mmCIF file of all heavy atoms in Angstrom:
data_model
loop_
_atom_site.group_PDB
_atom_site.id
_atom_site.type_symbol
_atom_site.label_atom_id
_atom_site.label_comp_id
_atom_site.label_asym_id
_atom_site.label_seq_id
_atom_site.Cartn_x
_atom_site.Cartn_y
_atom_site.Cartn_z
ATOM 1 N N PRO B 96 -19.941 14.326 14.816
ATOM 2 C CA PRO B 96 -19.029 15.515 15.138
ATOM 3 C C PRO B 96 -19.542 16.290 16.369
ATOM 4 O O PRO B 96 -18.766 17.091 16.927
ATOM 5 C CB PRO B 96 -19.006 16.291 13.807
ATOM 6 C CG PRO B 96 -19.776 15.518 12.836
ATOM 7 C CD PRO B 96 -20.431 14.453 13.512
ATOM 8 N N GLY B 97 -20.868 16.308 16.610
ATOM 9 C CA GLY B 97 -21.370 16.987 17.830
ATOM 10 C C GLY B 97 -20.814 16.446 19.041
ATOM 11 O O GLY B 97 -20.521 17.168 19.951
ATOM 12 N N GLY B 98 -20.726 15.163 19.150
ATOM 13 C CA GLY B 98 -20.237 14.500 20.480
ATOM 14 C C GLY B 98 -18.760 14.500 20.432
ATOM 15 O O GLY B 98 -18.098 14.434 21.557
ATOM 16 N N CYS B 99 -18.048 14.326 19.362
ATOM 17 C CA CYS B 99 -16.681 14.154 19.322
ATOM 18 C C CYS B 99 -16.069 15.031 18.199
ATOM 19 O O CYS B 99 -16.087 14.665 17.035
ATOM 20 C CB CYS B 99 -16.469 12.619 18.982
ATOM 21 S SG CYS B 99 -14.784 12.086 19.383
ATOM 22 N N PRO B 100 -15.506 16.238 18.572
ATOM 23 C CA PRO B 100 -15.085 17.163 17.547
ATOM 24 C C PRO B 100 -13.797 16.663 16.908
ATOM 25 O O PRO B 100 -12.687 17.224 17.252
ATOM 26 C CB PRO B 100 -14.823 18.450 18.401
ATOM 27 C CG PRO B 100 -14.629 17.896 19.833
ATOM 28 C CD PRO B 100 -15.245 16.627 19.979
ATOM 29 N N LEU B 101 -13.932 15.827 15.923
ATOM 30 C CA LEU B 101 -12.720 15.279 15.321
ATOM 31 C C LEU B 101 -12.645 15.544 13.867
ATOM 32 O O LEU B 101 -12.471 14.631 13.021
ATOM 33 C CB LEU B 101 -12.579 13.868 15.525
ATOM 34 C CG LEU B 101 -12.411 13.380 16.949
ATOM 35 C CD1 LEU B 101 -12.636 11.943 17.160
ATOM 36 C CD2 LEU B 101 -10.957 13.655 17.366
ATOM 37 N N VAL B 102 -12.919 16.699 13.458
ATOM 38 C CA VAL B 102 -13.096 17.078 12.005
ATOM 39 C C VAL B 102 -11.781 17.379 11.416
ATOM 40 O O VAL B 102 -11.473 16.777 10.249
ATOM 41 C CB VAL B 102 -14.101 18.224 11.837
ATOM 42 C CG1 VAL B 102 -14.221 18.493 10.353
ATOM 43 C CG2 VAL B 102 -15.400 17.804 12.351
ATOM 44 N N GLY B 103 -10.850 17.954 11.999
ATOM 45 C CA GLY B 103 -9.563 18.093 11.481
ATOM 46 C C GLY B 103 -8.719 16.949 11.785
ATOM 47 O O GLY B 103 -9.038 16.004 12.547
ATOM 48 N N PRO B 104 -7.466 16.801 11.196
ATOM 49 C CA PRO B 104 -6.642 15.723 11.625
ATOM 50 C C PRO B 104 -6.181 15.882 13.143
ATOM 51 O O PRO B 104 -5.880 16.960 13.542
ATOM 52 C CB PRO B 104 -5.394 15.873 10.717
ATOM 53 C CG PRO B 104 -5.476 17.201 10.161
ATOM 54 C CD PRO B 104 -6.921 17.673 10.171
ATOM 55 N N PRO B 105 -6.198 14.775 13.871
ATOM 56 C CA PRO B 105 -5.971 14.904 15.293
ATOM 57 C C PRO B 105 -4.364 15.141 15.376
ATOM 58 O O PRO B 105 -3.603 14.618 14.631
ATOM 59 C CB PRO B 105 -6.213 13.479 15.846
ATOM 60 C CG PRO B 105 -6.320 12.536 14.686
ATOM 61 C CD PRO B 105 -6.603 13.467 13.423
ATOM 62 N N GLN B 106 -4.104 16.163 16.204
ATOM 63 C CA GLN B 106 -2.739 16.576 16.405
ATOM 64 C C GLN B 106 -1.909 15.633 17.260
ATOM 65 O O GLN B 106 -0.857 15.173 16.958
ATOM 66 C CB GLN B 106 -2.626 17.937 16.872
ATOM 67 C CG GLN B 106 -3.366 19.070 16.021
ATOM 68 C CD GLN B 106 -2.740 18.984 14.647
ATOM 69 O OE1 GLN B 106 -1.571 19.059 14.557
ATOM 70 N NE2 GLN B 106 -3.524 19.088 13.678
ATOM 71 N N ALA B 107 -2.500 15.350 18.516
ATOM 72 C CA ALA B 107 -1.809 14.555 19.450
ATOM 73 C C ALA B 107 -2.122 13.086 19.210
ATOM 74 O O ALA B 107 -2.956 12.806 18.435
ATOM 75 C CB ALA B 107 -2.215 14.918 20.790
ATOM 76 N N GLU B 108 -1.333 12.178 19.823
ATOM 77 C CA GLU B 108 -1.626 10.822 19.793
ATOM 78 C C GLU B 108 -2.913 10.500 20.684
ATOM 79 O O GLU B 108 -3.030 11.257 21.645
ATOM 80 C CB GLU B 108 -0.505 9.953 20.283
ATOM 81 C CG GLU B 108 0.669 10.002 19.308
ATOM 82 C CD GLU B 108 1.827 9.267 19.808
ATOM 83 O OE1 GLU B 108 2.010 8.989 20.947
ATOM 84 O OE2 GLU B 108 2.819 9.012 18.887
ATOM 85 N N GLY B 109 -3.618 9.535 20.298
ATOM 86 C CA GLY B 109 -4.814 9.270 21.169
ATOM 87 C C GLY B 109 -5.895 10.161 20.825
ATOM 88 O O GLY B 109 -5.994 10.837 19.630
ATOM 89 N N LEU B 110 -6.925 10.252 21.601
ATOM 90 C CA LEU B 110 -8.129 11.021 21.417
ATOM 91 C C LEU B 110 -8.233 12.168 22.248
ATOM 92 O O LEU B 110 -7.758 12.170 23.376
ATOM 93 C CB LEU B 110 -9.421 10.083 21.541
ATOM 94 C CG LEU B 110 -9.559 8.949 20.529
ATOM 95 C CD1 LEU B 110 -10.510 7.829 21.035
ATOM 96 C CD2 LEU B 110 -10.066 9.521 19.200
ATOM 97 N N PRO B 111 -8.975 13.260 21.848
ATOM 98 C CA PRO B 111 -9.131 14.449 22.731
ATOM 99 C C PRO B 111 -10.009 14.036 23.911
ATOM 100 O O PRO B 111 -10.727 13.173 23.841
ATOM 101 C CB PRO B 111 -9.788 15.420 21.812
ATOM 102 C CG PRO B 111 -10.360 14.704 20.681
ATOM 103 C CD PRO B 111 -9.508 13.490 20.543
ATOM 104 N N ALA B 112 -9.895 14.808 24.998
ATOM 105 C CA ALA B 112 -10.581 14.493 26.231
ATOM 106 C C ALA B 112 -12.126 14.568 26.050
ATOM 107 O O ALA B 112 -12.829 13.758 26.629
ATOM 108 C CB ALA B 112 -10.126 15.417 27.257
ATOM 109 N N GLY B 113 -12.608 15.516 25.287
ATOM 110 C CA GLY B 113 -14.038 15.744 25.242
ATOM 111 C C GLY B 113 -14.789 14.826 24.235
ATOM 112 O O GLY B 113 -15.861 15.208 23.749
ATOM 113 N N CYS B 114 -14.267 13.737 23.867
ATOM 114 C CA CYS B 114 -14.993 12.855 22.867
ATOM 115 C C CYS B 114 -15.988 11.937 23.458
ATOM 116 O O CYS B 114 -15.640 11.088 24.192
ATOM 117 C CB CYS B 114 -13.841 12.012 22.157
ATOM 118 S SG CYS B 114 -14.432 11.059 20.898
ATOM 119 N N ASN B 115 -17.180 12.094 23.052
ATOM 120 C CA ASN B 115 -18.302 11.220 23.532
ATOM 121 C C ASN B 115 -18.806 10.397 22.371
ATOM 122 O O ASN B 115 -18.970 11.021 21.104
ATOM 123 C CB ASN B 115 -19.434 12.081 24.128
ATOM 124 C CG ASN B 115 -19.005 12.615 25.460
ATOM 125 O OD1 ASN B 115 -18.392 11.994 26.226
ATOM 126 N ND2 ASN B 115 -19.325 13.889 25.614
ATOM 127 N N VAL B 116 -19.144 9.195 22.505
ATOM 128 C CA VAL B 116 -19.736 8.394 21.488
ATOM 129 C C VAL B 116 -20.925 7.764 21.957
ATOM 130 O O VAL B 116 -21.159 7.814 23.232
ATOM 131 C CB VAL B 116 -18.745 7.244 21.031
ATOM 132 C CG1 VAL B 116 -17.432 7.850 20.357
ATOM 133 C CG2 VAL B 116 -18.252 6.326 22.157
ATOM 134 N N ARG B 117 -21.762 7.162 21.062
ATOM 135 C CA ARG B 117 -22.903 6.491 21.595
ATOM 136 C C ARG B 117 -22.870 5.021 21.198
ATOM 137 O O ARG B 117 -22.461 4.529 20.181
ATOM 138 C CB ARG B 117 -24.156 7.089 20.784
ATOM 139 C CG ARG B 117 -24.682 8.301 21.623
ATOM 140 C CD ARG B 117 -25.984 8.810 20.878
ATOM 141 N NE ARG B 117 -25.772 9.247 19.479
ATOM 142 C CZ ARG B 117 -26.368 8.770 18.401
ATOM 143 N NH1 ARG B 117 -27.288 7.875 18.524
ATOM 144 N NH2 ARG B 117 -26.076 9.271 17.211
ATOM 145 N N LEU B 118 -23.108 4.191 22.184
ATOM 146 C CA LEU B 118 -23.220 2.706 22.051
ATOM 147 C C LEU B 118 -24.643 2.380 22.188
ATOM 148 O O LEU B 118 -25.206 2.469 23.358
ATOM 149 C CB LEU B 118 -22.261 2.066 23.126
ATOM 150 C CG LEU B 118 -22.027 0.668 22.796
ATOM 151 C CD1 LEU B 118 -21.264 0.318 21.581
ATOM 152 C CD2 LEU B 118 -21.216 0.061 24.092
ATOM 153 N N ASN B 119 -25.299 2.017 21.166
ATOM 154 C CA ASN B 119 -26.771 1.969 21.129
ATOM 155 C C ASN B 119 -27.286 3.328 21.663
ATOM 156 O O ASN B 119 -27.147 4.375 21.025
ATOM 157 C CB ASN B 119 -27.245 0.732 21.844
ATOM 158 C CG ASN B 119 -27.106 -0.532 21.056
ATOM 159 O OD1 ASN B 119 -26.720 -0.447 19.823
ATOM 160 N ND2 ASN B 119 -27.397 -1.646 21.567
ATOM 161 N N ASP B 120 -27.976 3.290 22.812
ATOM 162 C CA ASP B 120 -28.676 4.515 23.267
ATOM 163 C C ASP B 120 -27.830 5.176 24.278
ATOM 164 O O ASP B 120 -28.294 6.274 24.821
ATOM 165 C CB ASP B 120 -30.111 4.315 23.754
ATOM 166 C CG ASP B 120 -31.014 3.763 22.615
ATOM 167 O OD1 ASP B 120 -30.772 4.257 21.483
ATOM 168 O OD2 ASP B 120 -31.796 2.872 22.916
ATOM 169 N N ASP B 121 -26.711 4.667 24.822
ATOM 170 C CA ASP B 121 -25.949 5.245 25.826
ATOM 171 C C ASP B 121 -24.888 6.247 25.261
ATOM 172 O O ASP B 121 -24.202 5.713 24.377
ATOM 173 C CB ASP B 121 -25.380 4.231 26.780
ATOM 174 C CG ASP B 121 -26.378 3.239 27.216
ATOM 175 O OD1 ASP B 121 -27.505 3.639 27.462
ATOM 176 O OD2 ASP B 121 -26.107 2.023 27.294
ATOM 177 N N THR B 122 -24.810 7.391 25.883
ATOM 178 C CA THR B 122 -23.812 8.267 25.453
ATOM 179 C C THR B 122 -22.615 7.984 26.596
ATOM 180 O O THR B 122 -22.865 8.009 27.696
ATOM 181 C CB THR B 122 -24.219 9.775 25.531
ATOM 182 O OG1 THR B 122 -25.235 9.882 24.542
ATOM 183 C CG2 THR B 122 -23.103 10.656 25.082
ATOM 184 N N LEU B 123 -21.418 7.779 26.050
ATOM 185 C CA LEU B 123 -20.357 7.699 27.011
ATOM 186 C C LEU B 123 -19.051 8.246 26.463
ATOM 187 O O LEU B 123 -18.911 8.506 25.325
ATOM 188 C CB LEU B 123 -20.175 6.162 27.332
ATOM 189 C CG LEU B 123 -19.959 5.172 26.098
ATOM 190 C CD1 LEU B 123 -18.739 4.308 26.470
ATOM 191 C CD2 LEU B 123 -21.193 4.356 25.876
ATOM 192 N N ALA B 124 -18.148 8.554 27.343
ATOM 193 C CA ALA B 124 -16.798 9.008 26.934
ATOM 194 C C ALA B 124 -16.079 7.950 26.213
ATOM 195 O O ALA B 124 -16.191 6.780 26.590
ATOM 196 C CB ALA B 124 -16.120 9.577 28.209
ATOM 197 N N ALA B 125 -15.280 8.422 25.330
ATOM 198 C CA ALA B 125 -14.427 7.406 24.540
ATOM 199 C C ALA B 125 -13.605 6.671 25.414
ATOM 200 O O ALA B 125 -13.303 5.500 25.121
ATOM 201 C CB ALA B 125 -13.697 8.167 23.375
ATOM 202 N N THR B 126 -13.144 7.185 26.527
ATOM 203 C CA THR B 126 -12.203 6.418 27.380
ATOM 204 C C THR B 126 -12.878 5.211 28.001
ATOM 205 O O THR B 126 -12.152 4.316 28.412
ATOM 206 C CB THR B 126 -11.587 7.410 28.488
ATOM 207 O OG1 THR B 126 -12.789 8.132 28.996
ATOM 208 C CG2 THR B 126 -10.712 8.372 27.883
#
Side-chain angles (χ1 to χ4, degrees):
Chain B
C99 196
L101 293 169
V102 176
Q106 300 300 316
E108 289 177 348
L110 290 162
C114 181
N115 290 313
V116 297
R117 272 183 297 128
L118 192 63
N119 283 354
D120 294 328
D121 306 325
T122 300
L123 54 133
T126 46

